[in-house]
Amino acid sequence: MSQTTLTGAPTEAPVPVPRPRRRRRTDQEPSAAEARGTSRWFVLGVLVLLALYAAGPLWWLLVAATKSDGQLYTTDGLWFADFRLFSNLQTLFTYQDGIFGRWLWNTVVYAGIGSVGLTIVALAGGYAIAKYRYRGRGLTMGLIIASFLIPGTLMIVPSFVLFTRLGIYDTIWAMILPGMFGSFSVFLAKVYAEGAVPTELMEAARIDGAGEYRIFFSMGLRLLTTAGATIFLLHFVASWNTFMWPLVFLKGVEKWPVMLGLYSWLQRGTDSSVDLTSLVLTGSLVSTIPMIALMISMQRYWRSGVTIGSLK
Amino acid sequence: MNTTTRRLVGAGAAAATALGLAACGSGEAEGGDTTGAASGPVTIEVWGWNAETGVQIADAFNAAQDDVQVEYVLQASNTATQTNFRNVMTTQQGIPCLVQGFAPLTTMVVNGWAQDVTDVVTASEGLYNEGALAAAKVADRYYGVPTGSDGQFLIVNTATFEQNGVEIPTTWDEFLDAGRVLKTAGVDITNLAGEDPSTLLNLAQQAGAEWFAIDGDSWTVDFLDDATLEGAEVVQQLIDEDLVSNQTYQDKPALYSYFDSGKMASTTTQWWSLTGYQTNFAQSAGSWRAVQIPQFADATTPVTPGRATASFVPQGCENPEAVMAFVDWQTTAEGIEAGRNAETAAVGFPVQIPDPSPYVEEVVPEGFFVDATEAGDVIVEAQGAAIGKFELGPNYDSWFPELQDQWGKAVAGQITVEQALENVQEFVVGDLESKGISYTVAD
Amino acid sequence: MSTRSTTSADVRPSRERGARQASPPALNRQARWRTLQNLKGASLSLPFLAGFALFSIVPIVMALRESAYAARSSGGLGFGDKTVEFVGLDNLARAVVDTTFWSGMGRVALYAVVLVPLTQVVSLAMALVLDAARRKVAARFRVALLLPYMVPGIVATMVWIYLYSPTVGPLHSFFEMLGLDANFYSSEMVWVSIGNLALWGAIGFNMLILYGALQSVPHEIFEAARIDGASELRIALSIKVPFVRGSLVLTTLLSIIGTLQIFNEPLLFRAISPETITKDFTPALMIYNQAFQVGNVNYATALSIVLAVVIGIASAVLYRISSRSES
C-alpha cells in the first residue's frame, strides 16, 4: 500500500518537491504506524493509564481554581465547593489594575517572536550540522553539548553585565534574543534532520541543478515540519513558563511575562497579610489555555513523515 | 511567617548573583538615578515588593509635596530584590535610593551596600519607636532607615483551654506546665515546624541573648550564653516531652486544618497572619484570645520578640535627605492613609510609629477573637515592647542555613538543641575565619 | 526529470549529469565543487553560531573566570572593602577534595541510576503508544500527555504538595487501602517523592521529542514487517525504537544532566523534611548555598566546573555506548 510515497512529478522548476498529503483520504484507513488487531486494546489501555498519570493530578488545579479564598484550604481538594470560577476570573483580570492581561500579552509577544526566530535559526543550524561535512563541525557539536553542562544560574550575572553593555537590559530584546540561539534546539534539529532529510533526495535535487540554499528552503524545511513544530512548541512553552530570566532582565512590572507575575503573587503570601494563592491557581489555569490551543492547532505538523519510496 | 519560610517557600528561586568584584569592566560608575538638580524636584527610585500599595503610596507622596518625586519600582519578591540589587551594584548603573530590607542590615554594611545615614536619621528620631530605631543601627550608627518590627504575641484557643481546665500561661514555665496537662488530653500546646528556627531566635532574643556583639574592631561570638540556653531549655522540654506537633508550613491546607482543629492549643503569631487565620479557620473562629507572649520568670519588664529587616539607602545614592523625607511622611496620618489597600479596605499597620493604637482596629479581623478590643490592646502592647534588634552578625547568610539544618535535626530529636547551637557556633567561627573577619569566642 | 531508483546511501559523487568516471583535473573540479557545497551548507549555521557565541559562549567564559579568584575581607568587623586576588587553581583543587560535595554527588548519582532509565522508559512508552494509537484517539490524548510539561514548575509543586499530603491528600489514603503506609513527607520516602515529582515533570517534554522523531519512520518497513508476521510489540521495539535512537540519546543525555543537577525538588523537600535534606544535600544545592548564602561565588563556580566535568564524563560514556552499539 503506497500511502505516503512521494509525488514524483515536480511542480515547478527542477526541484522534485515531495508534497505530503494534506489530510488522509479517510479516517478509517489506518496509517502504517498504528497497531492492528488485539494489540489495539492494549495500546489504548496503556494510553489511558499514562494519560491518567499525566493529566490526573491537574484535576486538583481545576478544582482549586473554582474555589474562593476561604474554601481553598478548608474543603476537600478533589471536589468542588461553591463554584466561584467566574468571580475568580474577574478578580484575576482586575487585580492590580488589570495587569494580568498585560502580562499575558507580553508573554505572547516574547514567546511568539522568540520561538519563530529560534525555529528558523535552529533548523538551519541543525540541518547544516547534520547534512554537511565541514571544518569546525565537530567543534560546534562539542560546544553545543558543553553548553548543556553549565548551570544556567551561573550565567545570569555575566549576562547582566553583557546586556547592560549591549543596551538591551530592560527591553523586550533581552527576552527574545538570547532564546533565539539556544543550543538545545539546534541539537534537536540535527537529530531530526539526520532522520528526516535523506541525502539521496538532496543529491537528486543537486543533479537537477538546485543550489544548497534552494534545497534547504524548498525541500529541507518541508521535510522538517515536524522538527520545526517540535522546536517551536518546546521553546514556546519554555518561554511561556520562564520567570528567572525576566526577573533579572526586566525592570518594570508592566513588562513582566505571566509566570513572573504569578510568581510574585505567590510570594506575597509568605510575609504579608495578603494570600494570593487562589489568584495564582486561577491564573495558572488561564495561562495554560493558550498553550493547549497552540498545541491543538499545530497538530497537523505531527503527521507521519514522507517516505523515500521510489522517485518514479 | 519569617525569614526561614520566606527563603524556603517558593520553589526554584535560584538566583545567580555575584559579589562581582572580578567581573570584567564593572567599574563604570554612572551613579544612581538621582537627578540632583539644584532647581526642580529630586527624583529618587525606591525598590520594594509591596505590590498592593507600593505605587499608590509613592503617588500620594508625589502629589503631597513638590520637592521629591518618588518612582516605585516593583520587584517580584524578596529574593528578586536581592538578585537585582546585587546586579545593579556590580555594574554600578541605575542604583536606587531606597531598598526594602531583603537581608539583615549588618549584611548590607558588610557588603558595602548600605550608606551611613546617621546625619539624616537623627533629626527624625522622635517619629519612631525604640524598636524601629534599634533595627536601623549597626555599631551605633544608622545604616538603615527606621523600620518597625512585628511584635509577637500569643493566640490561644479558649475552647481547648477551658475544656481541659488549664489556665492561660503568662510565663514559659507555666506554658510548659500547661503543655503537660494538655498532653494527657491528646492536645499539643503549640506547633514547632522543623524548617523554622525562628522559635529559637525569638526565645533567645526575648531572654536577652547576644549572639554577636561588637567589641572595638572585632566581633564577639556567643551562641551559648545563659540567655540562649534558657530559651533552648524551653524548646528542649517541648521536644523531649512531645508537647508539640511538627506540622510543616509548606502544606497549607493541612496546616490550617490542624490549627483549626482544636488539637493545637496556642501559637505565637504577629498581626499580618491574622487575616489568613480568619479566612481559613472554619471551626474555631470566634474562640481565640490574644494574650501577651509568655515571659521568662526572671524578666524584670515584659519584652516582645520582634526583628525588622531595615530598609536602607544604598551607597551611590546622592539624596538621602529626600529618602528620609519620604520615609518620614509615611509616619503621618496622611501617609498611613495612603497605604489603604483598595481591595481589602485596610491600612498597613504602622509598626514603626510610637503609638499605632488608632490603627489597630483595622488589623483585628472580625469574628476571630472572643474579644476584639482586648486583642487590639494586646497587639499594641506587643508593638510597644518589641525589641526590634537582634544582631545577626556579619555572615548571617552563611550560618542561617546551617542553623536550619541543625534545628531540623533537633526538632526530630536526633540531637539536643544545645548541641545544635554548638554546631552552629562552630560553623560560624569557621566561616568568619575563612572570610578574614576578626572575632573572639566568648567563654 | 531524471529517472533513477534510489539505492542505499551509496551514491557516488561523480554522477554528474553526463559525466563519466572522472580524470584527475575533473576530480579537482568536483572536489572544489563539493567543498563549495559544504561551505554553503555550513553557512546555514552562521546565524546560530553568531548568536550562540555572543549569548552563550561569552557569558560562560566570563562566569568561568570567577573560579580563578578569591575574595577576602580586609579584616576587622568585615565592613571594609573586600580584596580580590588571583588564586589560579586553588578553588578547583579544594572542590576536588571536598567530601561534602562528593557525598552529595554520590547521592544524586545513585538517584540518577534509577530515575534516568525510568524516565526514558516511561517517555518512550508514551511516545510509542501514542504513535500506535488510532489517529483520532492520538489527537485527543496528545494534549493530556503533554500537560505536565505545559504546567509551570511552581504550580506542579503546589499540585504535588497537595497530593502527597498525609493529612489532606488522596495518595496516603489510597495506598492505605492497598495496605501500604506511604507517607510521602517522611524522610524514608524522600527520594521516592522527589523522584516522582521529577518524573512527572519530565515525561511530557521527552515524549514530545521522541514522538516527533517517530513521525519520520518510513512506513514501508511496517508493512514489510507485518507481512513477515511480526507482532505489534516486535514492530515497536525492533523497528521504531532503533529508528529514534538519536532522539533517545538526546533525551537520555538531557535527563542525565538534569538529574545530576537536581535542585528544585530537594529545595522543596528541605522545608518538609529538614532533618534529612541539609543545605549541601545535592551538588546543585551546595553550589547555590556557596554562591548566595556563603557568598563565595568563586568557590561555587569551581564546584560547578567539577560538576560539569562529572556530567560531561557521564554523557561521553553514554554517547560512546550508544554509538558503539549502533555498529
Side-chain angles (χ1 to χ4, degrees), chain B residues 7-8 11-19 21-24 86 106 109-111 138-139 194-195 214 216-219 248 250-251 253-254 394 397-398 401-402 404-405 408-409 412 414 427 431 433-438, chain C residues 62 65-66 69 71-84 153-154 157 161-162 164-168 185 263-264 267-268 270-272 274-280 288-289 291-298:
Chain B
R7 283 175 196 280
L8 293 174
T17 63
L19 293 171
L21 296 164
C24 49
R86 284 197 201 230
T106 315
V109 180
V110 166
N111 288 347
V138 176
E195 76 257 25
I214 294 182
D217 198 31
S218 156
W219 291 94
T248 169
Q250 289 291 317
D251 188 356
D397 282 333
S398 279
E402 178 70 20
Q404 286 174 316
D405 286 351
K409 294 193 163 64
Q414 292 172 8
F427 179 89
D431 190 63
E433 186 71 48
S434 72
K435 289 189 164 128
I437 296 177
S438 315
Chain C
M62 283 164 73
R65 275 188 54 208
E66 292 292 325
Y69 292 85
R72 225 175 129 74
S73 181
S74 41
L77 294 173
F79 289 179
D81 275 333
K82 298 198 172 29
T83 47
V84 179
I154 46 183
T157 309
I161 288 181
Y162 169 75
Y164 280 157
S165 170
T167 28
V168 299
Y185 283 170
F263 176 79
N264 289 330
L267 187 66
L268 167 67
R270 180 152 151 67
I272 293 176
E275 68 277 12
T276 316
I277 306 210
T278 54
K279 63 190 188 313
D280 298 327
Y288 174 81
N289 189 54
F292 310 119
Q293 302 290 148
V294 176
N296 191 346
V297 175
N298 310 99

Side-chain angles (χ1 to χ4, degrees), chain B residues 102-142:
Chain B
F102 55 81
L105 193 57
T106 315
T107 305
M108 307 304 186
V109 180
V110 166
N111 288 347
W113 290 341
Q115 223 184 94
D116 185 335
V117 287
T118 313
D119 300 328
V120 294
V121 173
T122 29
S124 315
E125 268 174 341
L127 297 171
Y128 302 96
N129 60 44
E130 292 289 319
L133 293 173
K137 281 193 188 157
V138 176
D140 281 332
R141 305 280 300 172
Y142 283 112

Side-chain angles (χ1 to χ4, degrees), chain B residues 334-348:
Chain B
E334 204 190 342
I336 295 173
E337 188 56 38
R340 189 170 292 278
N341 186 327
E343 311 271 335
T344 63
V347 273

Side-chain angles (χ1 to χ4, degrees), chain A residues 205-279:
Chain A
R206 285 189 193 116
I207 288 184
D208 290 339
E212 298 310 311
Y213 297 127
R214 185 79 182 280
I215 295 178
F216 174 65
F217 283 103
S218 330
M219 190 182 83
L221 280 182
R222 299 250 190 135
L223 288 171
L224 287 170
T225 50
T226 306
T230 309
I231 290 175
F232 181 86
L233 190 67
L234 285 175
H235 187 260
F236 193 87
V237 174
S239 210
W240 191 268
N241 285 339
T242 182
F243 73 90
M244 203 55 237
W245 201 255
L247 189 154
V248 174
F249 293 105
L250 290 180
K251 211 166 170 191
V253 68
E254 66 288 340
K255 291 201 195 79
W256 289 358
V258 71
M259 214 42 64
L260 181 58
L262 289 178
Y263 164 77
S264 78
W265 282 355
L266 191 61
Q267 294 298 309
R268 295 301 292 147
T270 54
D271 58 358
S272 75
S273 54
V274 292
D275 185 0
L276 300 174
T277 312
S278 135
L279 272 189

